[in-house]
Amino acid sequence: MILKTVLPALVALSACVFAGTTHGQATLAQAAKAEPAPLEEYMRLPAYSSPHISRNGKYFAVTIPINGRLNLAVVDLDTRKGTALTSFDNFDVLGIRWVGNDRLIFTLGQQSSPTGPGQFLGGGLFMVSRDGKESRRLSPTVQELRRNGQRVYRPMRVLRTIPGSDDEVIVEANLRDADSYDVYRLNIVTGRTTLLTGTRPALANGWLLDRNRVPRVVTAEIKNTTTEVIYYRKNEDDPFVEISRYDVTKPGGIDPLYFESDNLTLLVSTNADRETRGIYHFDPATKTLGELVAEDKRFDLDEVDTDPVTDELLGYTVNGEKPKQILLTEADKRIQRMIDGALPDTVNTSQRIRGALHLVTSFSDRSPTNWYILDEGKKTLEDLFSSRPWLTKDKLTAMRPFFLKTRDGLEILSYYFLPQDYKPGQKLPTVVHIHGGPFARADEWGRPGYGIREAQILASRGYAVVLPNFRITPGLGTKNYFSGFGAYGKQMLDDHEDAAKWAVAQGFADPDRICISGASYGGYATLMSLARFPGVFKCGIAGAAPTEMEVQLTSPQGDTAGNISGVEFWKSVIGVTDTSKIPHDISPVYLADKIKQPLMLYWGADDIRVPVEQANLMIRALERAGNPPKIVLIKKEEGHGFGRVENNIELYTQMLDFLDSNIGAKSKR
């Protein structure tokens, strides 16, 4: 597993006084003349990503490209020299945590997927020392278990590191009961666990630790339902008592987030009697909601920002049209003003390294993430490293927010992209890209999401692209989210047609040249929309799409059927009480005879979220209907979405040719 390699020195540093920066800028004239960047530039793995600071502030853990995957490296902040620690070729390193200053833990998965980074066949938990001399597998991956014929996955999820400890963390794991999670102290050197929750409710699935790292709040399921119960105990020796109960498919639930410094009061997120989730004080002793702490009138607040070393509350993040922070202290606000003055037109956040030094993270829709070191005392900002320095501003177009008004009155934040040389009045070939999930916030402003990458590629080649969110997309308000339950394959599809009609009404979309694309739920939406709206969508590109919903929820080839609570949730989304009652008219397989438009399909052969059997069912149905897919791309050793650069280049090469032939430059108008 371990590969110890000395990295070349990081980019040359240039201290930049707080008078602004010219990093990555290009003039409009240059942008207008720029040729489309090669596909590889959009597909390349980031040079650096996910920096994490050691407790003493002397080292950065980052991921870098090795063997076609994102692998773990450590950079010495003083010397700017790095050492690569892992060399995986089948997974990306995710979920990095420092344990003290000399060891790291991490999990495995896929960075690029239709629903955001996920574990899928990965998972597991691993330890490696900063010098690469120690390593240990603490928990196996899903892939390893499946290859050994095991079906029960027993993950370890890190809850908290422990101040002053270089070899222990606190995890939750289902080691003694496959259906419930306990809390353990885990020695990452020996692998030994110590149980911290000798008594707990049944079907426990999510723990909250107090400020002393004692597990005192737990969320548990009610078997075979979508009801969850929150339990609380006054201290580690007291019994758990119920403090709240709610149905996750309906508004009104509370989510415990954080213990206040008194170790008695909770911060919770709730949408009870609200149009958005707000953060409140909650007294678990009296089971009462207290004062409102933070809110946004349009978007949900459902997480807190804390210091990774001290656990102190720093503020809240609002994921709206653009991300923004609500900071709590005047000192943090002052530093934020200083950074924003130096780095205008980007979203900027900071984290203290040590003393007067801060790590600054900066990004925008046209500037991939850059990291800097702020010296607060000297008032200097120093380049540290850039995620994708080759993607300069002239190669990216603006990610424009808009609110999609649906036919039944919802207003849902969405985005669209136009080529840089677009002239008002032009009617462009247009692609409506539907995100995966469907209950996922997959594409956020300025982030390198699955849909955003596709949109930037297509816009660079002359296409307009719409990235609509839709009902059940989380984070966009109570009504928008809960309107999705029972709407799968029905009103949810109407939202996609509404997005296409919006683009036509804006004047940039040619109504005779609109395609629909997406993967996971987005692939499902593509197939269903081709059948439902043949006059709107002229072609479709579907990846990793559920095509027969009863099989999707019951097949042992996938990872859904074994998740009982997950299946119950899905039944609520679909609007049925039993998987055998899923109507055929919401499964694309049974609508193949209605799909007359050209179609491209792509899949990962090792996908366990939407197994390739779903592709085979659809291909056979389309062949029987006399309209086989024009392109079928199934890649070995790929999962839910393509992770390898060469496979993504092939995917988008074929996708562009398919689009050009059907709605683009090669099409017959």
Side-chain angles (χ1 to χ4, degrees), residues 505-516:
Q506 296 305 302
F508 64 78
D510 183 339
D512 296 322
R513 294 190 293 161
I514 300 179
C515 261
I516 184 168

Side-chain angles (χ1 to χ4, degrees), residues 323 347 361 363-365 369 399 443-449 452-453:
V347 172
T361 303
F363 65 89
S364 78
D365 55 341
T369 305
M399 183 175 180
D443 298 305
E444 298 178 7
W445 189 88
R447 298 294 190 184
I452 292 171
R453 178 184 65 184

Side-chain angles (χ1 to χ4, degrees), residues 185-204:
R185 287 177 76 101
L186 168 68
N187 187 302
I188 64 170
V189 178
T190 66
R192 294 194 184 99
T193 57
T194 303
L195 181 66
L196 301 181
T197 50
T199 60
R200 52 142 175 82
L203 302 180

Side-chain angles (χ1 to χ4, degrees), residues 6 133-134 138 166 217 256 269 297 312 357 364 385 389 395 408 411 492 494 523-524 528 535 581 597 610 644 660:
V6 177
K133 294 179 179 179
E134 296 178 77
L138 300 163
D166 292 331
V217 174
S269 172
K297 295 297 184 181
E312 290 299 315
L357 300 182
S364 78
F385 35 67
K395 297 172 183 175
D408 59 348
E411 293 189 4
M492 212 178 286
D494 293 342
Y524 167 87
M528 290 294 295
K581 296 180 180 179
Q597 306 95 314
V610 183
R644 294 189 177 278
D660 285 349

Side-chain angles (χ1 to χ4, degrees), residues 120-121 142 146 557-560 606-611 639-640:
F120 308 113
L121 277 171
V142 175
R146 290 175 73 93
Q557 292 191 35
D559 65 353
T560 302
D606 294 339
D607 193 345
I608 64 169
R609 181 56 45 87
V610 183
H640 200 54

Side-chain angles (χ1 to χ4, degrees), residues 216-217 230-235 238-244 254 259 262-268 281-290:
R216 288 176 52 206
V217 174
I230 300 171
Y231 295 91
Y232 163 83
R233 59 180 177 178
K234 292 181 180 179
N235 58 59
D238 281 356
F240 283 98
V241 296
E242 180 180 330
I243 59 173
S244 180
I254 68 167
F259 268 95
D262 62 7
N263 245 354
L264 298 173
T265 308
L266 291 170
L267 288 183
V268 302
H281 284 129
F282 183 85
D283 185 345
T286 60
K287 307 176 187 178
T288 55
L289 205 62

